[in-house]
Amino acid sequence: GPTRKMPLTASAMDFFQLFVPDNVLKNMVVQTNMYAKKYQERFGSDDAWIDVTLTEMKAFLGYMISTSIHHCESVLSIWSSGFYSNKSIALIMTQSRFEKILKYFHIVAFRSSQTTHSLYKIQPFLDSLQNGFDSAFRPSQAQVLHEPLIDEDPVFIATCTERELRKRKKRKFSLWVRQCSSTGFICQIYVHLKEGSGADGLDALKNKPQLHSMVAKSLCQNASGKNYIIFTGPSITSLNLFEEFEKQEIYCCGLLSTRKSDCTGLPLSMLNNSETPQSRGQYRIRMKGNMSLICWYNKGHFRFLTNAYSPIQQGVIIKRKSGEIPCPLAVEAFAAHLSYICKYDDKYSKYFISHKPNKTWQQVFWFAISIAINNAYILYKMSEAYHVTRYSRAQFGERLVKELLGLEDTSPSH
């Protein structure tokens, strides 16, 4: 749960600023102004540009975040006379001023000579966000590694041409997370860039389990020695990775697929389906040290690899029609934690910021901001402030937008 107690009067802004504090926003102001100056030195002066202020930067973020609640096709719809116009917030800043800030918006204006990382324009923000996640929340023992579901805007999908849709879907990165499966709080973000068609490219990532294991190691670099139980999908599950994690006191439970998983070192007898008909709930087990390979039958064969649960401990899967189906405890635990993450995706994926810029670093930035707001809401729901106001996720987002735009007085958090 949360590592610090927030006051009863804590506002949406107070929770958001646990992850995006004023010093981070001030840096955005400085870097944006520096980039604007550099751009104008190169391409000619822009008489309409005035250096952005902290108040304007907060308003700029507020406008962007509003698209996660109202799902407008474009953030510029706020100033239009159409269905998605919002007169109550449109008066805070003119459309032309917003577009100027959007044109010059930067987190890192200059590339240093030592920088080789492709995400250099956003890495300082991601590092700051990670520090905020680490210091504000202590996750439960059970966690999940996965790619969170990111909803595409349904209005855009319904109205765009096939060519636009294809272009929209070609994202140049994949976003992976380590997530607390008790609360849904995202503990760590890992961005894998598609940098050409090399061995580290996104296309290779879909086909090569060793690259998935690299993602898993990056997500768990701060998890060693804490006895965490990590649940993984077929693309990450492998004997070599689980054995490596066990040496770091990280324990695992993963679904195994003969098509998607790295099955190196696993007995072929357990990977082949038996020809004799099996009844639901039957299972076979093979063990090596603490590692168990479980083949469980339920209208099909399901294989699990785990060193976190004893294979002889019994559990049940409850189905509405067929009642209880016996299974090893590892299978029950895997189903329970993965179903929670599916519920999280259903609830929170619709609140991702709708603005889709062309630049990859900006796409990553808005996804990261969306995750930070979802995490802020989770902390709010676990705080005493929730029992005073009881905002839904949409109401929390609306309050945050108003506070960023200066339409609501934020309560002091001290």
Side-chain angles (χ1 to χ4, degrees):
T3 57
R4 68 190 78 177
K5 188 175 180 180
M6 297 293 279
L8 288 170
T9 54
S11 65
M13 186 75 162
D14 291 330
F15 287 97
F16 177 64
Q17 292 214 298
L18 292 173
F19 311 124
V20 189
D22 268 354
N23 66 314
V24 171
L25 298 175
K26 286 173 183 173
N27 181 62
M28 291 179 195
V29 170
V30 171
Q31 297 294 328
T32 298
N33 289 332
M34 284 169 63
Y35 180 78
K37 184 181 178 184
K38 168 188 162 188
Y39 185 93
Q40 289 171 52
E41 284 173 358
R42 188 173 177 185
F43 298 107
S45 63
D46 183 347
D47 296 334
W49 173 253
I50 305 165
D51 278 0
V52 69
T53 64
L54 179 61
T55 303
E56 284 183 312
M57 186 57 73
K58 286 182 178 179
F60 172 76
L61 290 179
Y63 283 126
M64 286 298 195
I65 292 165
S66 72
T67 67
S68 68
I69 306 151
H70 305 295
H71 299 287
C72 47
E73 186 179 336
S74 164
V75 66
L76 301 180
S77 302
I78 292 168
W79 291 275
S80 72
S81 56
F83 181 76
Y84 289 107
S85 64
N86 192 331
K87 296 289 185 288
S88 63
I89 66 173
L91 299 172
I92 302 298
M93 184 186 289
T94 64
Q95 181 179 338
S96 60
R97 179 59 176 163
F98 175 86
E99 289 184 276
K100 283 293 177 194
I101 297 172
L102 181 60
K103 178 181 178 179
Y104 296 122
F105 175 67
H106 265 70
I107 295 164
V108 175
F110 301 103
R111 182 171 191 156
S112 68
S113 55
Q114 294 84 23
T115 305
T116 55
H117 199 283
S118 302
L119 282 172
Y120 78 94
K121 284 194 173 184
I122 193 177
Q123 197 59 53
F125 175 76
L126 293 178
D127 293 341
S128 169
L129 203 60
Q130 188 59 57
N131 289 335
F133 291 170
D134 291 341
S135 61
F137 185 81
R138 188 171 57 251
S140 64
Q141 184 184 29
Q143 293 164 42
V144 178
L145 304 186
H146 73 123
E147 288 184 275
L149 179 67
I150 298 168
D151 262 8
E152 290 289 357
D153 174 22
V155 174
F156 179 90
I157 296 301
T159 57
C160 70
T161 63
E162 275 188 38
R163 184 171 175 274
E164 284 175 321
L165 191 59
R166 281 199 305 273
K167 187 180 177 185
R168 177 84 167 246
K169 284 186 174 177
K170 286 183 180 177
R171 204 179 287 140
K172 293 183 179 178
F173 63 93
S174 66
L175 186 73
W176 294 75
V177 299
R178 176 163 58 88
Q179 189 168 16
C180 168
S181 60
S182 308
T183 59
F185 189 95
I186 288 178
C187 309
Q188 192 157 352
I189 300 171
Y190 178 78
V191 180
H192 188 93
L193 277 184
K194 181 181 181 180
E195 298 171 328
S197 56
D200 288 344
L202 186 60
D203 295 331
L205 183 68
K206 290 176 181 172
N207 304 318
K208 295 186 177 178
Q210 63 265 36
L211 286 174
H212 281 105
S213 81
M214 179 198 75
V215 169
K217 288 172 191 174
S218 298
L219 284 170
C220 294
Q221 59 190 358
N222 300 327
S224 59
K226 296 178 181 177
N227 287 318
Y228 287 153
I229 297 174
I230 304 292
F231 292 88
T232 62
S235 58
I236 290 178
T237 303
S238 80
L239 179 63
N240 291 336
L241 179 68
F242 283 14
E243 286 178 339
E244 196 173 323
F245 274 169
E246 189 174 353
K247 292 172 187 172
Q248 301 171 37
E249 295 178 45
I250 302 170
Y251 301 94
C252 304
C253 180
L255 182 64
L256 197 69
S257 162
T258 51
R259 191 167 54 88
K260 293 181 181 178
S261 305
D262 178 3
C263 297
T264 307
L266 298 174
L268 288 175
S269 60
M270 292 291 285
L271 301 176
N272 298 324
N273 297 335
S274 59
E275 294 177 6
T276 54
Q278 290 185 289
S279 58
R280 295 176 75 178
Q282 280 192 319
Y283 58 90
R284 296 177 292 145
I285 299 166
R286 286 286 295 273
M287 293 185 69
K288 177 189 174 186
N290 292 329
M291 199 72 66
S292 309
L293 176 57
I294 301 164
C295 183
W296 177 68
Y297 185 81
N298 177 24
K299 289 187 178 178
H301 290 88
F302 294 89
R303 294 172 179 83
F304 297 86
L305 190 64
T306 182
N307 55 6
Y309 296 92
S310 164
I312 58 172
Q313 282 189 286
Q314 291 295 306
V316 287
I317 299 286
I318 300 172
K319 299 281 184 183
R320 276 181 296 182
K321 290 183 179 178
S322 45
E324 293 185 352
I325 303 166
C327 65
L329 184 61
V331 178
E332 181 187 343
F334 184 90
H337 291 294
L338 264 290
S339 69
Y340 183 89
I341 295 305
C342 289
K343 286 176 188 171
Y344 171 92
D345 279 346
D346 290 344
K347 182 173 182 180
Y348 290 103
S349 65
K350 64 170 80 74
Y351 294 110
F352 276 77
I353 290 166
S354 295
H355 176 66
K356 298 292 187 291
N358 292 326
K359 293 186 174 71
T360 298
W361 74 264
Q362 289 186 8
Q363 291 174 19
V364 174
F365 175 76
W366 296 119
F367 283 139
I369 286 283
S370 302
I371 287 171
I373 299 167
N374 285 340
N375 276 355
Y377 180 68
I378 289 166
L379 290 189
Y380 159 72
K381 281 198 76 173
M382 289 193 283
S383 73
E384 292 178 1
Y386 177 70
H387 300 291
V388 177
T389 48
R390 289 191 173 271
Y391 293 134
S392 66
R393 172 64 183 84
Q395 289 170 328
F396 182 85
E398 285 173 356
R399 297 290 299 185
L400 178 59
V401 169
K402 286 180 178 178
E403 288 163 20
L404 283 165
L405 289 164
L407 294 171
E408 298 281 345
D409 289 331
T410 56
S411 305
S413 57
H414 301 294

